[in-house]
Structures are given as C-alpha cells and as structure tokens.
Amino acid sequence: MDKLFPKLPLDQWVETLVRYLWKQAGGGFDLIKMLISGWVDFLAFLFMGLPDWAMILLFSLLAWLLSKRSVAIFTFIGLSLVSNLGYWVNTMQTLALVLTAALISIILGIPTGIMCARKKAVRDVVMPVLDFMQTMPAFVYLIPAIFFFGIGEVPGVIASVIFAMPPTIRLTNLGIRQVPVELVEAADSFGSTAAQKLLKVQLPLAKPTIMAGVNQCIMLSLSMVVIASMIGAKGLGADVYRAVTQIKIGKGFEAGLAIVILAIMLDRVTQHIGNHKKNKEERA
Amino acid sequence: MIKIQVKNLTKIFGSKPDKAIQLLQEGGSKQQILQDTGLTVGVNQASFAVNTGEVFVIMGLSGSGKSTLVRLLNRLIEPTCGSIEIDGEDVAAMSKEQLREVRRKKLSMVFQRFALFPHRTVLENVEYGLEIQGLPKEERREKAKQALELVGLAGWESSMPDQLSGGMQQRVGLARALANNPDVLLMDEAFSALDPLIRKDMQDELLELQSSMQKTIIFITHDLDEALKIGDRIALMKDGKIVQIGTPEEVLTNPANEYVEKFVEDVDMSKVLNAEHVMKRPETITLDKGPRVALQLMRDSGVSSLYVVDKRKTLLGIVTAEAVSQAKAEGLTLQDVTETNVPTVRPDTRLHDLFDLIAFSALPLAVVNEGDRLLGVVVRGAVLGGLAGRVKVKQEQPSEQSLERVNLVG
C-alpha cells in the first residue's frame, strides 16, 4: 500500500507556498506589520495617557453613554479592582490588542458578509474558507504568522483576526438574508438602486444581527490573547501564560479575573449598542 | 384608452426553459410540463389589456399564479418571455435604468403583508419612494403628508408601523404607493390579511379614492366577493393560465368553463345582480284609454295590473284589475282609479335590496330611471329566478360600470 500510494507531500507544498508568498510580497507584510503595531501602540498609549483613576472614570462614562448605568457601575468597580491588583498596564495592552483585532475583523468582515449575502457564488467560496479558519487549531496558523510578521503583538493580532472574523461575516450575511422578502420587494418596487436598498433597508434591519456578530468577534479576539502571548504579545495573556508555566495558582487567578472583567465589560457594552437606537425611539 | 397591454406573458421557474416554452405553445398543461421537464410554470401565456382608470382584478386560488403575474408586471420577477407594454413601452425589454425610472414614476405596489419598513416612522415610510428619487426633504415631507391625509392618517406621522393596527398599516402602505403619484397601482392581495369588517371598510375606501383619483389599478385577490365588489373587469386564473376575462356579471352568468362555474357557484347572486338584470317588459296603458281597453289588455297579456304612463313613458301610476272593473261598473275614468303610490326602484338597485320591498308589497316593483321613465317591472318569480342564476346579461357599457361603482360607494 505504501508503495502504491506514496504520501502526498502536502507539508512541503504548504511550506513552498508560504516561502513563495514571503518572497513575492515580503515588503507588503512589513508594511502591514508596521501599520498594525503602530496602531496597537497608539491605542495602548491613548489608554494609558491619563492616570488610572481618570481613565477608569472615562471608561465608565463611555460605558454609560453607549449602554446603560448598570454597565457603567460594573465598569467602574471592575477596572478599579484591576488597577488595585496591579494589572492596569497589561489590561490596557490587552484591550488595545483586542480592539485592533476586532476593528480589522469588522472592516474586512462586514463588506465580505454583504457580498456573501448578495451573490451565491461568493458565498459558496467564502463559507468553506470560514469553516477552515474557525476549526483549524489557532496554534497552527501562528506558525506562518510568525514567519511573515516575526514575534510580538502583530502575529497575535493576525491570528485573532483569522479566528474572530468568521462570525462577523456569517452574521452579516445571515442578517441581510433574513430581511423579509416583502421588504426587499418593496424597496425594489419603488425603484431603489442596489446601494439605496442596502443602506436604507437591508443594513438597518440587519443591524441587530450584525452587532451580535461584532460582539462575538470581540469575545473571540479576547479568547486569543493567551495564545497570542505565547509568541510574545504583551498583556494579560502573558501574565496567565507565566502563571501556568510557573504553576502560580493565585497569580493565574488574578490575571484570569482581569480578562473576565474586560470580557464582561466589552460584551455588555457591545450587546447594548445594537439595541441602542430602538430604546431611544421607545423613549421618544 | 389602453394603459397596459400584456401579451403572452410567461414565467417558467427553473433553468433552460426553452423546451417548456415550446411545450406551452403547443398547448401543454402545467402538470404535463412538470412531468416532462421538471420545470414549474408560474404564468402561462397571459394576455390582457387594462384601460386607463380601470380596476382590473386578477383572481384565482393560491398557486394559480396571480401573485407571480403581478410581480412580472414590474419585473420583481423576470419574465421568461412575452411583453408588457405600459403606455406603449415594453417593460420586459427595458434596461435596468429604464425599469427603475418606470418603477419610480409609473408603477407603485401595495403588498399583502403591508411590507412597511419597521425601522422607519409612518412618515418616513410614505416618503421612501420620493426619498430614493432624491427629492428635497421639505418637498417630499409635504407630499408624504398629503398622501397620509388622503388615506385618513393625518396625525400619525411620527408613529412606528408596529404601533398601528393592521388596517392602519395597510393605509400607510397605500399612502406610500400613492405618494409617488403613479399612474398604475399594483395591489397584491392588499386586503387579504385584514379581518373581514376592516377589509370591507378598506374596499369601500379604495373605491371612494378611486372615484376621485382614476388610477389604473391591478388588484390581486382570491376572494370572489372582493373581486365582484371592486372590479370593473375580472380575470380568472388557473394553473398559471387566464381562463376568463369579463365584467363581474359576465363571469357570474356566463362562466367560461367548469372551473369558473365552480368558483362562482357559491356566490350570493343577490349582491351581484341588479334590478335591471331580472326585470321584465312592463305592460302599460296611457290615460286616454278607457276601462274596457284596460281589461282587454290585461286579459290578453295575462296580468292583473297595468302601469299607467304618458306618451314619454313617464310612470304615472298603476291600475289593478279590481279597480278597473269597479271603474267600468261605476262609469269612472282610468285616472280616477289610478293608484299613484307605486313602489319603484332604480335599475342599478341590487337584488339584495329588493327583498324587503317585494315581500311586503302587493304590487310588482316598477323599475324607473332618474327621469321617472318606466324601464321594466320586477315580479317575485323573476327575483327567485335571478337568485337561481338563470339570467342572461347583456354586454355592459363602460358608462354603466362607473355608475355602478359610484353607487357601491354610497
């Protein structure tokens, strides 16, 4: 059997492909790396621009504006605890990383989702790719990420994007396709252009579903921080990773708790943005 | 004047319809084509013409292709073949841009389940058609408000659609369609989702609006009573094919085939037929004749009463056999014994409204026009005959149709 069907050299093919890509577009990868790391550093600098207490107040206020009071109170208490435990800098580092990954996922994911919803051919190509992205163990694509972007926060961001973008695409596609046929027909029957139909009818109606996708995307990015720390990304993941390798239960718990607080905070705020307009209308 | 001329309009669902088209042209049925080619025939070579200002009803059971047909007219569904000429321009052959222009300016659609945009206020919904045409905000607000006023929803501008009842939501749907000031309204089962009382109100209101707007309306329904009430003409569909086109009376009294007959057999004829459909030729006499002549006339024609008219056939009264006999015995003139209190009805009075009159009147009913001219007589037997469906209706003139429509509203 072994001689009849020799092993396919799939591993070699992949390596050849990766090297080929790097050779052809090495400069492009450098540019992407520069942009992303610059942006993450900028965000981190922004978040640590003021003393802890001022930032905590600012974040709480922001949570109140975007969401509701209870979320603001949670944000205040949670971040105060994080600051008190001494994880402030790493938490902000992680926040910068997560928000960057989420932002890239949204910028790439929503238009892709829209294209999927409009054309079956696009959907047929994109959906298997998404399955691949979500189920391939994250460690595996850390390897080419290191190859292209070196170690540090950038491959972490890239790995997070690959892992977190699928729900954004899927839910954008779903949200648009779930808009009732009659409403789409109504938009068409009055002579809407494709863009008018999308902006005035489909996207507004798909918004809650798309926001659920954005929420999922942020949560998944956050779940990648520990893995990203293995290739040198700074932040809470690094604290957890260190605690694990040194078997420090207490430290591990503290760092883990900081991640949980960050997660709940981001989850509640983004969950609420989707319903925000509706609430405002009900009050009006 | 013909507004919409549809010729051989066909929709076949599925790919490679050429063979199916050929089979259709050879007279193949929907079932046969499904068996031979696996393709579904939505609409099978529909041809009809709709006049300006006409309410043209397309009726059929679910699955008969009526909703597909109306969507072919504005190409929400692309026709497989055939032509749709609106004002002489073939919509089926238009480019995307031309089609968009026609949809914006000439055709508006009202949907069965209202299809209001839930994220927009009532006013913003009505504005939609004007908004996408790029009208300035002030102007479109003004037009939208006028349209809302027209359907009786002034004051509800800032409500959200889900705060309104079904009937009100469909008024918004109607206002949204009217705001563009289109020539043609396509109404796809527009009142089917409403409960019966509201539906009746909406029908009345549509007719009232129509009497002042004179739009060309294509109205889809599965409800025969609705079709009879609002349609100037009715097209009946079965298996994607139009099986009969005619006025409500024609469809009822001369069903083209068994299918139509079955469809209309449960109809309450008393709500469809008018006095003029069941009236008989009246036996009349003028006042210059004497009692003897009157008696002779009654004997000859086998009746027990005669209508007294003048030379212009204006109804003056009625004389019965007993009264004439009395006149003969006492030497009185016809005028002396003429009963002037005669029950009269108009030719367009519904049979339904004759029941009371005819049940409690000893005399037959005289059918007169506005000038009191005697047109005919309605006797009990004729009413019963009409209810049993034994009536032949002559081709109606358009003027009479509009007369009838106004009457329905009132």
Side-chain angles (χ1 to χ4, degrees), chain B residues 269 273 351 382-391:
Chain B
M269 298 293 274
L273 295 176
L351 232 53
V383 174
L384 293 177
L387 288 180
R390 275 194 292 277
V391 176

Side-chain angles (χ1 to χ4, degrees), chain B residues 51-84:
Chain B
N51 299 317
T52 306
E54 187 178 29
V55 180
F56 188 81
V57 174
I58 298 172
M59 187 178 62
L61 299 172
S62 55
S64 62
K66 54 193 191 308
S67 281
T68 306
L69 178 54
V70 77
R71 281 168 172 72
L72 291 177
L73 298 181
N74 62 357
R75 278 176 60 187
L76 283 180
I77 297 176
E78 284 294 330
T80 308
C81 59
S83 66
I84 310 143

Side-chain angles (χ1 to χ4, degrees), chain B residues 241-278:
Chain B
K241 229 177 151 73
I242 293 182
V243 290
Q244 184 171 13
I245 299 178
T247 62
E249 282 81 1
E250 281 165 15
V251 171
L252 282 178
T253 53
N254 301 319
N257 60 23
E258 246 173 72
Y259 174 74
V260 181
E261 205 168 318
K262 243 188 170 153
F263 210 109
V264 300
E265 73 183 356
D266 291 331
V267 171
D268 183 353
M269 298 293 274
S270 73
K271 286 182 178 153
V272 183
L273 295 176
N274 299 338
E276 65 181 335
H277 296 133
V278 297

Side-chain angles (χ1 to χ4, degrees), chain A residues 96-125:
Chain A
L97 201 99
V98 166
L99 289 184
T100 305
L103 192 71
I104 295 172
S105 299
I106 291 165
I107 290 173
L108 296 178
I110 290 182
T112 311
I114 291 171
M115 283 191 290
C116 284
R118 293 170 64 105
K119 288 259 187 309
K120 189 176 176 296
V122 177
R123 199 154 63 235
D124 288 345
V125 173

Side-chain angles (χ1 to χ4, degrees), chain A residues 194-267:
Chain A
Q196 285 171 331
K197 184 168 68 175
L198 185 69
L199 291 175
K200 290 177 192 287
V201 178
Q202 289 173 313
L203 281 184
L205 290 172
K207 199 175 128 198
T209 313
I210 295 176
M211 282 312 296
V214 169
N215 173 278
Q216 282 300 300
C217 165
I218 292 177
M219 294 297 106
L220 288 176
S221 310
L222 200 53
S223 75
M224 278 294 286
V225 295
V226 178
I227 295 170
S229 72
M230 292 170 62
I231 48 170
K234 287 173 280 183
L236 292 171
D239 292 327
V240 174
Y241 186 55
R242 202 174 308 122
V244 170
T245 51
Q246 299 171 5
I247 321 184
K248 286 191 169 162
I249 302 171
K251 283 283 171 205
F253 181 78
E254 280 181 359
L257 185 67
I259 293 179
V260 170
I261 288 171
L262 200 57
I264 294 179
M265 201 179 90
L266 288 171
D267 177 61

Side-chain angles (χ1 to χ4, degrees), chain A residues 181-194 196-197 199-202 204-205 277-278 281, chain B residues 71 74 76 100 103-104 107-109 111-113 115-120 128 131-132 176-177 180:
Chain A
V181 182
E182 272 207 329
L183 295 184
V184 177
E185 280 190 334
D188 280 334
S189 77
F190 286 101
S192 311
T193 61
Q196 285 171 331
K197 184 168 68 175
L199 291 175
K200 290 177 192 287
V201 178
Q202 289 173 313
L205 290 172
K277 196 172 172 236
K278 209 174 157 197
E281 275 155 9
Chain B
R71 281 168 172 72
N74 62 357
L76 283 180
R100 196 149 60 221
R103 285 173 172 176
R104 287 179 175 189
L107 290 168
S108 280
M109 193 158 174
F111 293 84
Q112 178 171 10
R113 303 221 148 262
L116 300 180
F117 303 124
H119 60 295
R120 297 175 144 241
Y128 185 82
E131 183 181 326
I132 58 174
R176 182 175 62 177
N180 288 15

Side-chain angles (χ1 to χ4, degrees), chain A residues 5-284:
Chain A
F5 297 105
K7 177 190 175 294
L8 286 175
L10 193 57
D11 49 354
Q12 285 168 29
W13 292 348
V14 172
E15 273 177 38
T16 313
L17 178 72
V18 168
R19 273 172 218 286
Y20 174 79
L21 278 178
W22 190 71
K23 220 173 176 175
Q24 293 300 311
F29 290 120
D30 282 346
L31 182 70
I32 294 172
K33 180 181 176 180
M34 218 171 67
L35 284 174
I36 293 177
S37 80
W39 174 253
V40 174
D41 290 345
F42 168 72
L43 276 187
F45 171 77
L46 208 65
F47 295 155
M48 291 180 277
L50 289 173
D52 297 8
W53 61 268
M55 283 313 290
I56 291 173
L57 282 180
L58 209 63
F59 278 126
S60 305
L61 196 69
L62 202 64
W64 198 347
L65 285 178
L66 289 174
S67 174
K68 51 186 178 181
R69 203 178 55 178
S70 56
V71 177
I73 293 170
F74 175 84
T75 303
F76 182 79
I77 296 172
L79 287 182
S80 299
L81 181 64
V82 165
S83 166
N84 173 270
L85 294 175
Y87 288 94
W88 180 255
V89 172
N90 280 352
T91 303
M92 290 303 109
Q93 196 74 47
T94 297
L95 185 64
L97 201 99
V98 166
L99 289 184
T100 305
L103 192 71
I104 295 172
S105 299
I106 291 165
I107 290 173
L108 296 178
I110 290 182
T112 311
I114 291 171
M115 283 191 290
C116 284
R118 293 170 64 105
K119 288 259 187 309
K120 189 176 176 296
V122 177
R123 199 154 63 235
D124 288 345
V125 173
V126 170
M127 287 302 154
V129 175
L130 295 188
D131 293 334
F132 190 91
M133 285 160 75
Q134 280 188 299
T135 48
M136 177 64 83
F139 297 101
V140 176
Y141 41 71
L142 280 181
I143 310 168
I146 297 169
F147 190 82
F148 289 133
F149 302 106
I151 57 165
E153 58 214 356
V154 177
V157 169
I158 298 293
S160 299
V161 167
I162 294 174
F163 188 60
M165 192 165 58
T168 316
I169 298 176
R170 280 185 209 279
L171 286 167
T172 302
N173 165 45
L174 182 73
I176 289 177
R177 281 167 11 104
Q178 266 180 346
V179 172
V181 182
E182 272 207 329
L183 295 184
V184 177
E185 280 190 334
D188 280 334
S189 77
F190 286 101
S192 311
T193 61
Q196 285 171 331
K197 184 168 68 175
L198 185 69
L199 291 175
K200 290 177 192 287
V201 178
Q202 289 173 313
L203 281 184
L205 290 172
K207 199 175 128 198
T209 313
I210 295 176
M211 282 312 296
V214 169
N215 173 278
Q216 282 300 300
C217 165
I218 292 177
M219 294 297 106
L220 288 176
S221 310
L222 200 53
S223 75
M224 278 294 286
V225 295
V226 178
I227 295 170
S229 72
M230 292 170 62
I231 48 170
K234 287 173 280 183
L236 292 171
D239 292 327
V240 174
Y241 186 55
R242 202 174 308 122
V244 170
T245 51
Q246 299 171 5
I247 321 184
K248 286 191 169 162
I249 302 171
K251 283 283 171 205
F253 181 78
E254 280 181 359
L257 185 67
I259 293 179
V260 170
I261 288 171
L262 200 57
I264 294 179
M265 201 179 90
L266 288 171
D267 177 61
R268 296 302 183 274
V269 170
T270 50
Q271 249 183 28
H272 221 77
I273 292 174
N275 309 321
H276 200 54
K277 196 172 172 236
K278 209 174 157 197
N279 292 343
K280 213 163 68 188
E281 275 155 9
E282 272 162 20
R283 266 182 263 131

